[in-house]
Amino acid sequence: MRIGKFITAAAFATLMAASVSGSKAQESVEVLHWWTSGGEAAALNVLKQNLEKQGVTWQDMPVAGGGGGDAMTVLRARVTAGNPPTAVQMLGYDILDWAKEGVLGDLDPVANKEGWDKVIPAALQKFSKYDGHWIAAPVNVHSTNWVWINKAALDAAGGKAPTTWDELVAVLDKMKANGITPLAAGGQAWQEATMFDAVVLSLGNDFYKSAMIDLDPAALGSDKMKEAFDRMAKLRTYVDDNFSGRDWNLASAMVINGQAGMQMMGDWAKGEFLKAGQKPGNDFVCIRFPGTQGSVTFNSDQFVMFKVGADKQNAQLKMASAIEDPGFQSAFNVVKGSVPARTDVPDTAFDDCGKKGMKDLAEANQNGTLFGSMAQGHAAPAAVKNALYDVVDRAFNGELNSQDAVQELVAAVAAAQ
Ligand code: BGC
């Protein structure tokens, strides 16, 4: 009798424990993302810890590769197998493509309650909403027309940050003469295309818009586009011969340790400098790609929630709400190198590059010089983006001269639409 009672009590305790951990296990999110570098992992941790504090367990599903190409391949396989992750990092037109397939969840309950409409800019809402409903929670705004320069290398090259293409070439020449690799780059199509965004923009706002956003064949096939490929070929001459396949964060590391002078990359690169303990102004300098001052080519990482069982929906809404929390937006983006996706987050916690990023974004938005990044999926759907990746990659690797690249680009973009 006594033993029986004891067993019953013990069994009851076990049952209770199981049901507590069971309810905790239900509050979990499986997150597919490509934040695998040191700086990215540090930023991701801010989100992970925030959710864990709220009792939401984090199941990590990392797939490396900027622009998310490989992550999107894995995602397709998961959805096809009927087993989508709960939340997925995604960019621009990819979000809308998935929305069209009718497989995304609905974030309206939390978005409407928290008034996202009023604080998330229209340029981001274009990708966070479909058919009037919220389908994604934007976590940041990155931009691609930045250059990250090693301060000591710049000082040794005259100390003046370049503001025009000719000044840029002069600084790169000096760095070469000083015996370092002037330009750190990774030979992966998405990285080359990220540089190409800035190079095209440096030839004019109207040109960027007609070629990259409107996909106007006349702009794509123009002399200006030939000049863009000529500029890319010129930049290639400043890159070391081991660039093929190099990851972007390894290129950042070359600038961080002084082996290279500069990197042309989105502001996720800043996350690597910060992670290495470097400070803007002291150890590195951030400038807009020469000739693109006043304009911004942006991308926004958003977390897209897939349709999942009712048991997981609450955790999805908690995650979405955590992402849009103004305090989180500040804490996360300070580490990530990006700027907040909300317009009401103060810039106080941000370093000088972050403050500049926020100011540039607001001004570009105001002045009509804010453009979606082609390389980062915010100018055109994936088919067009991939067509451009291919041509830019072949040209950068010397397989196409500028004239042929222009012709191939016109044909490839037309075929992809
Ligand atoms: C994302 C960034 C990321 C970068 C490199 C971009 O596509 O928007 O958040 O840091 O890729 O992985």
Side-chain angles (χ1 to χ4, degrees):
M1 182 76 176
R2 275 187 151 204
I3 290 174
K5 254 192 181 166
F6 174 74
I7 288 172
T8 310
F12 181 71
T14 313
L15 240 171
M16 284 304 287
S19 80
V20 169
S21 72
S23 68
K24 263 200 179 148
Q26 280 173 10
E27 291 272 285
S28 78
V29 281
E30 190 199 6
V31 185
L32 176 62
H33 64 88
W34 61 93
W35 286 337
T36 54
S37 78
E40 291 174 330
L44 189 70
N45 249 334
V46 180
L47 179 58
K48 206 167 143 184
Q49 283 167 5
N50 184 315
L51 284 170
E52 281 174 353
K53 261 190 226 139
Q54 300 185 51
V56 179
T57 312
W58 181 279
Q59 282 176 262
D60 209 34
M61 176 90 197
V63 183
D70 292 341
M72 291 304 105
T73 306
V74 170
L75 174 64
R76 173 67 58 191
R78 289 279 307 260
V79 179
T80 308
N83 179 29
T86 28
V88 181
Q89 176 194 359
M90 219 182 272
L91 296 174
Y93 280 92
D94 288 341
I95 305 176
L96 302 180
D97 282 348
W98 279 108
K100 281 181 203 140
E101 295 195 27
V103 290
L104 301 187
D106 180 7
L107 300 181
D108 279 355
V110 73
N112 293 339
K113 191 171 132 228
E114 296 178 359
W116 292 6
D117 262 318
K118 283 179 243 108
V119 288
I120 293 173
L124 302 194
Q125 285 194 32
K126 175 175 171 194
F127 302 109
S128 330
K129 285 171 101 172
Y130 184 73
D131 234 358
H133 299 290
W134 286 88
I135 47 164
V139 66
N140 62 10
V141 184
H142 271 301
S143 59
T144 54
N145 58 320
W146 286 105
V147 185
W148 308 92
I149 314 179
N150 178 294
K151 174 81 165 59
L154 181 63
D155 289 344
K160 188 182 171 293
T163 57
T164 63
W165 172 257
D166 289 343
E167 286 177 16
L168 173 67
V169 169
V171 170
L172 288 164
D173 281 336
K174 280 192 195 131
M175 288 177 168
K176 195 175 203 168
N178 289 343
I180 58 169
T181 298
L183 181 57
Q188 295 171 346
W190 75 268
Q191 291 187 59
E192 294 153 1
T194 299
M195 273 206 277
F196 191 67
D197 269 1
V199 167
V200 171
L201 186 64
S202 74
L203 292 165
N205 290 323
D206 292 345
F207 176 55
Y208 184 91
K209 184 175 178 297
S210 333
M212 305 294 236
I213 311 276
D214 302 339
L215 306 178
D216 173 5
L220 289 166
S222 65
D223 287 347
K224 268 206 172 160
M225 190 55 84
K226 180 173 171 296
E227 202 180 336
F229 280 106
D230 285 344
R231 286 188 173 190
M232 288 296 283
K234 179 73 178 165
L235 291 177
R236 169 65 188 88
T237 66
Y238 297 107
V239 177
D240 64 308
D241 285 338
N242 294 325
F243 79 110
S244 195
R246 176 187 288 141
D247 287 331
W248 68 273
N249 53 318
L250 300 182
S252 306
M254 290 171 69
V255 180
I256 290 169
N257 67 29
Q259 192 186 334
M262 63 179 83
Q263 182 183 20
M264 297 158 177
M265 189 43 64
D267 39 14
W268 46 89
K270 193 186 79 177
E272 297 306 297
F273 287 81
L274 300 182
K275 186 77 186 23
Q278 298 210 334
K279 299 228 165 356
N282 291 346
D283 309 296
F284 69 96
V285 174
C286 59
I287 59 165
R288 289 293 173 183
F289 189 96
T292 72
Q293 298 89 334
S295 306
V296 171
T297 38
F298 82 98
N299 67 296
S300 165
D301 292 303
Q302 309 215 12
F303 279 97
V304 174
M305 308 293 167
F306 274 75
K307 268 188 191 151
V308 287
D311 56 330
K312 291 191 181 143
Q313 284 167 10
N314 201 36
Q316 284 184 323
L317 295 180
K318 269 192 183 170
M319 180 170 171
S321 173
I323 288 170
E324 298 313 330
D325 174 73
F328 167 78
Q329 285 271 330
S330 179
F332 174 89
N333 286 302
V334 158
V335 179
K336 184 68 175 67
S338 38
V339 304
R342 299 175 61 114
T343 50
D344 60 346
V345 179
D347 71 359
T348 24
F350 288 80
D351 60 33
D352 288 350
C353 298
K355 285 192 167 79
K356 176 173 168 51
M358 288 173 79
K359 190 167 167 278
D360 288 354
L361 179 67
E363 284 174 7
N365 192 26
Q366 188 86 31
N367 299 337
T369 54
L370 175 65
F371 305 108
S373 155
M374 168 61 87
Q376 296 291 323
H378 281 66
V384 172
K385 179 189 78 174
N386 291 333
L388 177 130
Y389 274 16
D390 177 59
V391 177
V392 170
D393 184 50
R394 283 190 288 144
F396 199 68
N397 283 279
E399 290 167 30
L400 292 173
N401 66 32
S402 298
Q403 192 56 55
D404 293 345
V406 168
Q407 277 167 14
E408 295 250 352
L409 187 65
V410 174
V413 169
Q417 287 180 78

